[in-house]
Amino acid sequence: GEDVEQSLFLSVREGDSSVINCTYTDSSSTYLYWYKQEPGAGLQLLTYIFSNMDMKQDQRLTVLLNKKDKHLSLRIADTQTGDSAIYFCAELEFDKLSFGAGTTVTVRA
Amino acid sequence: DTEVTQTPKHLVMGMTNKKSLKCEQHMGHRAMYWYKQKAKKPPELMFVYSYEKLSINESVPSRFSPECPNSSLLNLHLHALQPEDSALYLCASSQDKGNEQFFGPGTRLTVL
């Protein structure tokens, strides 16, 4: 994950929006991904964005991509307690996924 | 069937034991992967199989031996492991290399 950076922690109140940020280094990345990992579980693919897109929306999730700044963000609207998890961004480079360190999101009542 | 399954869910083994982890998918995916994940860390790629052939080995020690018996199955044979090999071992699959990867629930391995 040294080529992909994320902030480590985010605390958000239930019902508010969460924004998780990620920066990456490889400008040739074709796809960028967001995965969610709950305690003791595997990784769940949440969404992904192709590098020629700026934005992708999927229900409560919005992905924004700023290719010039190599910045990716995931916005979760109306955050719920079930959204508490570690969120990993990842870039696809030479057929390999390179993960960020993960952002631990804690949802408080 | 749209999931990746892994067995066993938990495994405890001694340093002299030989054991195997199993992974299965029935999505018709032709690429399969093994990852190792330590606590509070991102997954680290170990091996990639593409069309049942080993495509990438990320300099993994020989005490880990992957095997792909057919397009649906991926095994990881373990022998003479060390306590520092204790981790969550994740399997993933994708339609082909370069496509989105779907992960199994993992096997929690403890080496005593």
Side-chain angles (χ1 to χ4, degrees):
Chain A
E2 54 192 55
D3 295 331
V4 181
E5 294 189 358
Q6 299 178 239
S7 52
L8 294 182
F9 301 99
L10 176 66
S11 178
V12 62
R13 197 182 324 184
E14 191 175 6
D16 287 351
S17 292
S18 309
V19 179
I20 308 167
N21 294 300
C22 172
T23 56
Y24 62 98
T25 57
D26 185 7
S27 57
S28 65
S29 294
T30 50
Y31 286 96
L32 295 139
Y33 301 89
W34 284 102
Y35 284 89
K36 175 185 180 183
Q37 187 173 33
E38 297 184 47
L43 273 70
Q44 175 194 352
L45 177 63
L46 284 179
T47 187
Y48 62 91
I49 189 167
F50 189 52
S51 58
N52 69 352
M53 297 170 66
D54 297 323
M55 185 182 89
K56 181 179 179 182
Q57 187 152 5
D58 183 4
Q59 298 182 336
R60 291 192 298 124
L61 305 178
T62 303
V63 180
L64 295 177
L65 176 60
N66 181 327
K67 201 170 178 186
K68 175 175 165 289
D69 294 337
K70 297 191 182 74
H71 182 264
L72 180 73
S73 68
L74 175 69
R75 178 177 179 268
I76 306 172
D78 187 26
T79 310
Q80 303 298 308
T81 54
D83 295 323
S84 292
I86 301 176
Y87 291 80
F88 293 98
C89 66
E91 63 174 343
L92 187 65
E93 184 181 11
F94 303 115
D95 297 331
K96 296 194 286 187
L97 275 179
S98 181
F99 288 91
T103 300
T104 299
V105 174
T106 303
V107 182
R108 59 187 194 277
Chain B
D1 190 348
T2 58
E3 63 174 0
V4 178
T5 58
Q6 290 187 242
T7 55
K9 192 172 172 62
H10 300 278
L11 178 63
V12 179
M13 60 187 289
M15 289 189 284
T16 58
N17 293 156
K18 284 185 183 180
K19 296 286 184 184
S20 296
L21 309 184
K22 296 187 184 303
C23 174
E24 193 166 359
Q25 57 87 16
H26 294 288
M27 295 179 278
H29 289 176
R30 302 315 299 263
M32 295 185 76
Y33 311 78
W34 280 116
Y35 289 84
K36 173 183 177 181
Q37 187 181 27
K38 300 286 265 184
K40 309 291 186 189
K41 297 290 186 186
E44 298 172 7
L45 182 66
M46 300 173 73
F47 302 104
V48 180
Y49 271 81
S50 177
Y51 290 83
E52 299 157 54
K53 287 187 169 38
L54 184 64
S55 172
I56 296 174
N57 176 343
E58 290 286 278
S59 303
V60 179
S62 60
R63 58 186 184 269
F64 295 92
S65 174
E67 179 200 17
C68 190
N70 60 56
S71 60
S72 300
L73 291 174
L74 186 66
N75 298 322
L76 186 63
H77 302 298
L78 314 172
H79 173 55
L81 294 194
Q82 303 297 310
E84 59 264 28
D85 296 321
S86 298
L88 181 67
Y89 287 84
L90 294 163
C91 174
S93 71
S94 62
Q95 185 65 41
D96 204 338
K97 290 190 300 180
N99 295 125
E100 62 271 23
Q101 295 180 24
F102 296 90
F103 283 78
T107 293
R108 175 76 58 191
L109 174 68
T110 303
V111 182
L112 301 175

